[in-house]
């Protein structure tokens, strides 16, 4: 309490533990910092295990556990990445045998599709979607189903593996009995609030009105806590919707433009720019939301530092998660589903038609979005925020001091350790690093059904991330105050929650976003010869062009086209109930939902089984702990016995107590930490 | 080991701890057994809490925990029973406002239904199903959905409540650190097997052939373990099927019989007799399966006694569970679904038509089955097996000794304690009692959606069960050897598994067995005026009587009927695809499946939330444990310091060590058990 109040009063500007010594120059004598720099914080040792013991010794348990966790996560990503690549390669290898994309690419089928926008667009031939259809197959094939199940089990295995590793580290670091002894100190802000409340209550003992006011202020304070996050989530939704509108309007504008070059690249341009805008918005909002979450938690005045940290983390997580995943969820589950049908399109904000998906489902666009989000977030956040900005700051400082490098080196030698460390950035906690990784874990598990390369991307990023974080901790930041913790706390629960949500999300992605279920249903019920031939035709409904609403028909009109096709399961114009949802639609919907139920329950059962199969505590560790308990008990018993003997000796001069002299006492080797 | 080998050799016939004394007669001095009999093992104290401390003192922790668990379970059943009764009363109160049953009962609708069996049965009027329809409403109304959600949360609350109670008992009984010290001794059978194996290996060192044989025998031993349970499950299925066949054939026979009285009571008679046969078969198989499970586990030769017990319990549980629930699952999910349709019925074993449900769904029959199973099992097992048979045995023993009651009393006085206890039954473990309760827990949670009175039945049974078991333990059995356990072991996992399975089973019961979803869909999409009017007509399909297969039309034919109705969603005879499943069928199926997904995930989320909300260890207990750890640490530190001082004193004659005399040592009150 002493140093913090001095810091708060401005007597000191900052307080921090000193680094062990310099890492560069020939003058530096060997020290732990230099050792860490050479053996850990360097890209050249990326293939080596991290020296977790040394990290813990230098930075404390909290930082040590983070790097241990990151190491386990990265290690576990290796098999996931390998299987993901195999699944992707399977898609590449079978793309030429895929009957639906062959049928789409075959110009002999000559299918005329309904226009993609009102009046400005014309009818188009299905074979122009050939490229997209072939690309979609890379991510939408039966191997993806297998891969989602694999990744769900992978997540469980990862959690189990980490639990065991944590237990082992707890044992090695002597934390098995820690946590019970930990005292949760109340935060100064909380004490202040309680004091204020008590004071007000004392004052208000006479005036009951005041007390009432206090109760009211308490209530309004609650609403303060609940409202802003919902408001922020609302803002995220608005922005996502804004990006959708941008896509729609740009697309319309490009369609209207007369340059043929622009028109031919419409789809690619719009998709990519929109995804990039999304990523930039996500990154900017992330920074804003982090500070809002901190401000909100301060308003809440939690009781202890631990509860403060947990609430802050939880709030930040919710906001960042919604922020990162809203565009992806839109693409996966809503895009192309709220379109309406030819002749009765759904319009938003006046006259904008909702976007349709490319012919072979929205999976391809989801893929691109995931790819850009993962790459973009990682590239921009890592390179710009974590490397670029510190470098820039250093450069600016150098420019300011206006010294030549020679002079500076000279000066550097004369500086004291605490002066050298003062120019480094302050340590702001390990939570932002965890947060980044948890969001990445979400990307890897949640939508893995649509992007099997996600684990590979994550793996490549993490190999760099470990060393990058290491460099930051060793070189760029002041040494943190060592914090003793037993586990990774709320992060474990968040991971567990994510891996549970992942099962149901993947079930829905496979059932609804991919064409897996319709293909299966077609092959086993509607197909005349049990093959996929005719599937494309089966997924397309008919539309009589005379049923277009006024002003929405293509302009100039194409009088050769009487009937165009669109992707949906609806009755043809010549049925009794034209354009109604057909029986096929409902049958396929039922199968999709049944698939979700079966998938979710089977995967959950398998996960529970794996969870039950692997003991939480490694056998050798539990044996060791058991042995130590016995030794301890034994020692205690002996002490008790000896004391009783001593007592007898003192009180009754019993003759049998002579053997209990201090010299004959058995030596007892308890491990430190008891 | 000593006494068990003597027992095995037949030197002693039995070994058991003695009871404290007699409980009857004026001569008996006050003792714990008498106290237990008066305060616990008597129906007159059924409203009192159990004296758990005394039970534990007299019978040991294992029995104590069972009764504590049974107490918590019974107590938790009270709110469940109350809510269940309210739900049932709600059904009773709204039965007259229920439009579908009103429509069924209205003779003006005059709906002619297709015959229920081939040739012997005639067409029937829907209004004759009026009673069943009204009764069905008691168990199939919107309140049932609420009740299933309530019971899922109730199960979670029960588990949490028990965890906390167990923790508290652990603390009070000084078991918090127990379990670590527990040594798992290898079973004698296992040691023998290992010894035999080693011997054979030694012999086979020269002959490799023998070793190979051993490997083969090991494999065949594995198949021995896996095959019989599957065989038993198969037998259970066969018997269930047999009962179904019995019902079908009896029904046909009764239809054929000419007595009008017999024909009018057909349904009720068949239902009730079949359910009773089922119950009797279940009870008989239960006894057989228990011994088979024991035999199988002996064959497996598990390593330790604990693993032997767990394997035995798990096997017995699976067999008994399948045995008890197969007929219920058949009624809930398969009955009436594999019927086929008029003109194309499904026939089994030659010419038996599969049974249809009564008009208002199979829920009513499921209800009757559950009711009879619960009542019957409890009545028969409790009264016959647990009261009747011991009484009978006692009677036989008395008859044998051929003494008058006067003489016997005289003799009784002269008997030694061990002679008196020898005539009592041997203690066979607490597991059969647990098993009975777990199966009951399954009945209460698994199909609660179809039978809201189940908790009430269970509650009434348990109030008796507690005292019945108590009487048995105090009066009828020899005193068990006290066993120290920390928790209820595998039973907790089984309970947890059951409550997880219950969520999905209830979701399916509501979605598929009850008419909840079709009613909802009708009201919000097909109904012309947004009410339930016309629902019954909507659920019935049309059948043209000229499409009957040869020989299946009613005999004598009724020429007035041209079209009859049956319960299904199929195209009418005048459509392009007559008797195909209609669009409504698929739409309702999709909604049913969507309901399952929503129900399961919402309930799971709520359960996880409740689980997370309630801490596993009560706050006061965790505080106490924490305080004791600190005291212990403190004591240890002081001892260490004192010893170091002593050492100094002895070795170096340090002057500061004089204060560490045994007399000035602070007294340390550790709770026993450390």
């Amino acid at each position: 309490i002493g140093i913090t109040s001095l810091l708060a009063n401005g007597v000191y500007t900052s307080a921090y533990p000193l680094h062990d010594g310099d890492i560069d120059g020939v003058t530096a004598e060997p020290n732990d910092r230099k050792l860490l720099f050479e053996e850990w914080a360097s890209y050249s040792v990326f293939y080596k295990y991290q020296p977790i013991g040394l990290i813990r010794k230098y930075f404390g348990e909290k930082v040590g556990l983070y790097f241990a966790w990151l190491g386990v996560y990265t290690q576990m990503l290796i098999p996931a990445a390998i299987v993901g690549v195999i699944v992707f390669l399977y898609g590449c290898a079978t793309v030429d045998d895929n009957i639906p994309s062959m049928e789409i690419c075959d110009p002999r089928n000559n299918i005329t599709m309904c226009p993609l926008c009102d009046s400005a667009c014309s009818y188009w031939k299905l074979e122009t979607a050939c490229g997209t259809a072939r690309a979609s197959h890379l991510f939408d094939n039966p191997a993806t189903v297998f891969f989602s199940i694999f990744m769900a089990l992978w997540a469980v295995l990862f959690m189990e593996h980490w639990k065991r590793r944590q237990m082992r580290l707890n044992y090695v670091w002597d934390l098995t009995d820690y946590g019970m002894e930990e005292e949760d100190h109340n935060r100064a802000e909380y004490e202040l609030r309680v004091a204020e409340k008590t004071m007000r209550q004392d004052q208000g003992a006479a005036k009951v009105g005041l007390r009432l006011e206090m109760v009211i202020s308490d209530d309004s304070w609650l609403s303060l806590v609940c409202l802003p996050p919902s408001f922020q989530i609302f803002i995220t939704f608005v922005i996502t919707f804004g990006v959708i509108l941008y896509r729609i309007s740009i697309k319309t504008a490009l369609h209207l433009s007369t340059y043929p070059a622009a028109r031919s690249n419409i789809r690619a341009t719009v998709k990519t720019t929109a995804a990039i805008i999304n990523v930039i918005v996500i990154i900017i909002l992330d920074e804003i939301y982090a500070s809002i979450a901190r401000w909100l938690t301060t308003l809440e005045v939690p009781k202890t530092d631990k509860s403060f940290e947990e609430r802050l983390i939880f709030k930040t997580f919710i906001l960042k998660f919604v922020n990162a995943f809203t565009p992806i969820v839109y693409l996966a589950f809503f895009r192309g589903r709220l379109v309406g049908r030819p002749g009765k399109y759904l319009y938003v904000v006046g006259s904008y038609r909702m976007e349709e998906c490319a012919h072979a489902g929205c999976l391809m666009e989801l893929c691109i979005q995931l790819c850009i989000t993962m790459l973009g977030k990682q590239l921009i956040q890592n390179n710009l925020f974590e490397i670029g900005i510190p470098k820039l700051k250093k450069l600016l400082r150098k420019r300011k001091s206006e010294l030549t490098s020679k002079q500076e080196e000279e000066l550097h030698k004369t500086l004291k350790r605490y002066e050298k460390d003062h120019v480094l950035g302050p340590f702001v906690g390990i939570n932002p690093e965890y947060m980044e990784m948890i969001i990445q874990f979400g990307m890897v598990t949640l939508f893995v059904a649509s992007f099997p390369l996600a684990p590979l991307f994550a793996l490549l990023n993490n190999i760099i991330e470990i060393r990058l974080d290491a460099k930051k901790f060793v070189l760029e930041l002041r040494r943190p105050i060592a914090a003793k913790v037993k586990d990774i706390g709320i992060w474990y629960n968040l991971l567990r929650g994510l891996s549970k949500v992942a099962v149901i999300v993947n079930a829905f992605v496979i059932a609804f976003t991919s064409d897996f279920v319709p293909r299966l249903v077609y092959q086993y019920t509607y197909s005349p010869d049990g093959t996929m031939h005719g599937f494309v035709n089966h997924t397309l409904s008919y539309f009589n062009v005379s049923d277009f609403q006024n002003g929405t028909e293509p302009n100039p009109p194409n009088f050769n086209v009487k009937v165009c096709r669109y992707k949906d399961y609806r009755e043809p114009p010549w049925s009794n109930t034209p354009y109604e949802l057909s029986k096929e639609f409902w049958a396929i919907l039922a199968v999709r939902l049944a698939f979700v139920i079966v998938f979710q329950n089977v995967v959950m059962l398998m996960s529970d089984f794996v969870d039950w199969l692997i003991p939480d505590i490694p056998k050798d560790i539990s044996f060791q702990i058991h042995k130590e308990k016995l030794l301890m008990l034994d020692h205690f018993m002996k002490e008790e016995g000896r004391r009783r003997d001593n007592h007898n000796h003192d009180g009754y001069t019993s003759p049998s107590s002579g053997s209990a002299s201090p010299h004959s006492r058995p030596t007892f080797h308890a491990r430190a930490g008891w």
Side-chain angles (χ1 to χ4, degrees), chain A:
Chain A
I1 306 282
I3 193 85
T4 37
S5 62
L6 286 174
L7 278 171
N9 292 337
V11 177
Y12 293 120
T13 52
S14 57
Y16 44 88
L18 294 183
H19 272 298
D20 259 16
D22 286 323
I23 45 116
D24 48 353
V26 279
T27 58
E29 61 279 13
N31 57 52
D32 277 350
R33 194 185 182 195
K34 199 174 174 184
L35 198 61
L36 274 176
F37 178 68
E38 281 159 5
E39 292 299 320
W40 179 51
S42 158
Y43 292 116
S44 57
V45 291
F46 77 92
Y47 56 90
K48 282 188 186 170
Y49 283 112
Q50 303 174 80
I52 296 294
L54 192 62
I55 299 170
R56 176 238 176 181
K57 189 184 158 207
Y58 195 83
F59 293 110
E61 274 83 2
K62 203 169 184 181
V63 176
L65 269 181
Y66 166 69
F67 282 104
W69 178 81
L70 189 54
V72 168
Y73 175 45
T74 307
Q75 206 185 328
M76 286 295 288
L77 276 174
I78 297 173
I82 292 172
V83 177
V85 169
I86 291 173
V87 166
F88 180 72
L89 290 179
Y90 171 82
C92 291
T94 55
V95 70
D96 286 330
D97 310 332
N98 183 34
I99 298 171
S101 63
M102 270 160 63
E103 283 189 341
I104 289 174
C105 296
D106 192 348
R108 281 171 303 173
N109 284 329
N110 194 26
I111 294 171
T112 306
M113 301 293 289
C114 296
L116 288 170
C117 65
D118 290 350
S119 61
C121 307
S122 183
Y123 305 105
W124 56 286
K125 291 288 170 192
L126 186 59
E127 71 233 41
T128 56
C130 175
T132 326
R134 284 172 64 90
S136 280
H137 176 75
L138 301 182
F139 301 103
D140 183 7
N141 58 60
T144 339
V145 179
F146 154 76
F147 191 55
S148 331
I149 298 173
F150 172 84
M151 283 305 286
L153 295 182
W154 173 86
V156 178
L157 273 176
F158 165 54
M159 313 292 281
E160 286 296 309
H161 189 52
W162 168 245
K163 260 195 277 183
R164 288 166 69 90
R165 177 105 173 98
Q166 186 171 268
M167 202 61 219
R168 196 176 289 278
L169 286 177
N170 269 339
Y171 178 74
V172 175
W173 295 352
D174 266 325
L175 298 169
T176 34
D177 276 349
Y178 179 75
M180 283 304 196
E181 294 120 59
E182 182 188 29
E183 282 288 337
D184 250 4
H185 292 293
N186 289 352
R187 296 183 72 228
E189 287 87 343
Y190 174 77
E191 297 281 6
L192 190 72
R193 224 191 116 78
V194 169
E196 269 175 13
K197 224 171 174 177
T198 323
M199 229 160 69
R200 253 191 291 176
Q201 251 169 345
D202 288 347
Q203 285 175 352
K207 313 166 209 166
V208 188
L210 254 177
R211 192 175 249 177
L212 195 75
E213 186 212 35
M214 202 194 65
V215 172
I216 291 166
S217 81
D218 252 27
D219 274 356
S220 68
W221 161 79
L222 246 176
S223 70
L224 238 170
V225 172
C226 284
L227 269 183
S230 350
F231 183 66
Q232 277 166 287
I233 290 173
F234 175 71
I235 285 183
T236 312
F237 286 153
V238 167
I239 287 172
T240 313
F241 191 66
V243 173
I244 297 165
L245 273 189
Y246 158 81
R247 292 162 62 125
I248 298 172
S249 52
I250 289 286
K251 219 182 265 180
T252 319
L254 286 174
H255 273 298
L256 289 173
S257 89
T258 43
Y259 291 105
R263 291 182 70 159
S264 68
N265 293 320
I266 286 168
R267 279 195 168 266
T269 320
V270 172
K271 257 181 239 171
T272 319
T273 51
I276 290 170
I277 289 176
N278 253 336
V279 170
I280 292 171
V281 166
I282 287 172
I283 291 173
I284 293 171
L285 280 185
D286 253 14
E287 301 297 319
I288 298 172
Y289 284 179
S291 43
I292 293 180
R294 177 164 287 278
W295 174 67
L296 281 176
T297 316
T298 319
L299 280 186
E300 266 186 70
V301 198
K303 199 169 167 189
T304 60
D305 275 329
K306 205 182 153 199
S307 103
F308 180 86
E309 199 183 7
E310 282 197 352
R311 277 161 195 241
L312 177 61
I313 289 172
F314 190 72
K315 243 183 234 98
T316 319
F317 172 74
I318 292 286
L319 291 176
K320 290 209 172 191
F321 191 80
V322 171
N323 193 19
F325 284 98
T326 309
I328 297 173
V329 167
Y330 163 73
L331 265 181
F333 300 125
F334 298 102
R335 175 90 184 279
R337 261 156 243 287
L338 308 164
V339 182
R341 58 166 182 84
K344 205 181 170 185
Y345 283 114
L346 187 77
Y347 292 94
V348 285
V349 199
S351 58
Y352 287 114
R353 227 170 86 181
M354 287 298 284
E355 306 167 279
E356 280 180 68
C357 285
H359 174 76
C362 287
L363 206 69
M364 199 58 219
E365 310 205 9
L366 179 57
C367 247
I368 293 174
Q369 178 78 45
L370 274 169
C371 192
I372 291 180
T373 311
M374 281 193 81
L375 271 185
K377 240 178 97 85
Q378 288 174 357
L379 280 180
I380 296 176
Q381 281 198 334
N382 280 351
N383 295 338
L384 203 75
F385 285 78
E386 299 196 11
I387 309 180
I389 289 182
K391 280 262 159 74
L392 208 74
K393 275 187 186 163
K394 228 178 186 176
L395 211 78
L396 282 175
R397 255 188 313 229
K398 253 189 194 162
R399 195 51 67 80
K400 244 185 198 166
S401 60
E402 286 173 3
L403 293 166
T404 63
S405 64
K406 188 82 189 178
Q407 275 172 309
E408 200 180 341
E409 208 168 272
E410 209 59 31
L411 183 69
H412 195 254
K413 268 178 198 162
T414 63
L415 278 179
K416 289 262 166 59
R417 186 70 252 159
Y418 64 85
E419 289 171 310
K420 282 183 199 165
D421 282 5
H422 190 249
V423 299
L424 298 176
F427 177 79
V428 291
I430 200 81
N431 291 332
E433 320 289 334
Y434 270 120
M435 188 67 72
E436 199 184 316
M437 282 298 119
I438 297 277
I439 298 285
Q440 192 205 64
F441 181 80
M443 296 267 178
V444 169
T445 52
L446 246 50
F447 288 92
V448 81
S450 53
F451 189 43
L453 291 181
L456 180 69
F457 280 33
L459 176 65
L460 294 178
N461 174 68
N462 284 9
I463 289 173
I464 300 168
E465 181 83 22
I466 291 179
R467 307 303 158 178
L468 198 74
D469 282 352
K471 266 182 192 294
K472 198 168 79 179
F473 277 83
V474 173
L475 299 179
E476 314 277 349
L477 295 182
R478 293 174 193 163
R479 192 170 175 179
I481 298 166
K484 201 171 183 179
V485 289
K486 204 183 154 117
D487 49 35
I488 59 172
I490 193 175
W491 298 111
Y492 183 78
N493 298 332
L494 291 179
L495 279 175
R496 231 188 139 72
L498 270 184
S499 62
K500 274 190 184 173
V501 173
V503 175
I504 184 90
V505 169
N506 276 315
F508 272 100
V509 167
I510 296 173
F512 286 93
T513 314
S514 90
D515 268 348
F516 177 72
V517 172
R519 280 200 303 260
L520 219 63
V521 171
Y522 179 78
Q523 188 160 7
Y524 291 106
T525 46
Y526 297 112
S527 172
D529 53 357
T531 64
M532 290 300 293
H533 288 289
F535 172 69
V536 173
N537 189 41
H538 183 254
T539 60
L540 297 174
S541 297
Y542 293 90
F543 179 71
N544 189 334
V545 297
S546 62
D547 292 334
F548 268 125
Q549 280 179 302
N550 277 341
T552 63
E553 64 270 16
N555 190 9
N558 184 338
F559 295 109
N560 293 329
V561 179
K562 296 275 174 265
V563 163
C564 68
R565 309 288 296 270
Y566 59 102
K567 198 184 179 190
D568 208 342
Y569 292 98
R570 286 178 183 275
E571 302 277 352
W574 54 82
S575 82
N576 297 328
T577 51
Y579 309 131
E580 288 272 290
L581 291 172
S582 66
K583 199 196 276 184
E584 283 80 27
F585 173 84
W586 292 109
I588 287 172
L589 181 63
V591 178
R592 283 185 205 264
L593 290 165
F595 176 85
V596 170
I597 295 174
V598 171
F599 184 90
Q600 189 189 5
N601 286 291
V602 166
V603 171
M604 276 189 344
L605 194 75
M606 285 164 79
S607 301
D608 279 354
F609 183 70
V610 169
D611 195 10
W612 170 80
L613 213 64
I614 302 173
D616 283 0
I617 305 175
K619 219 162 186 175
D620 54 329
I621 299 288
S622 82
F623 178 72
Q624 280 293 335
I625 292 174
H626 174 50
K627 219 169 85 184
E628 276 166 27
K629 282 239 168 172
L630 280 185
L631 266 178
M632 177 71 197
L633 199 78
D634 191 49
H635 170 69
F636 194 83
M637 291 295 191
K638 272 187 191 150
E639 284 278 322
E640 278 290 311
R642 198 185 44 70
R643 191 197 295 175
R644 208 167 39 241
D645 284 352
N646 269 0
H647 238 285
N648 287 349
H649 182 64
D650 297 337
Y652 311 95
T653 53
S654 137
S656 69
S657 66
S659 66
S661 90
H663 286 290
S664 67
R665 210 181 296 147
T667 8
F668 175 71
H669 294 282
R671 284 176 55 251
W674 252 104

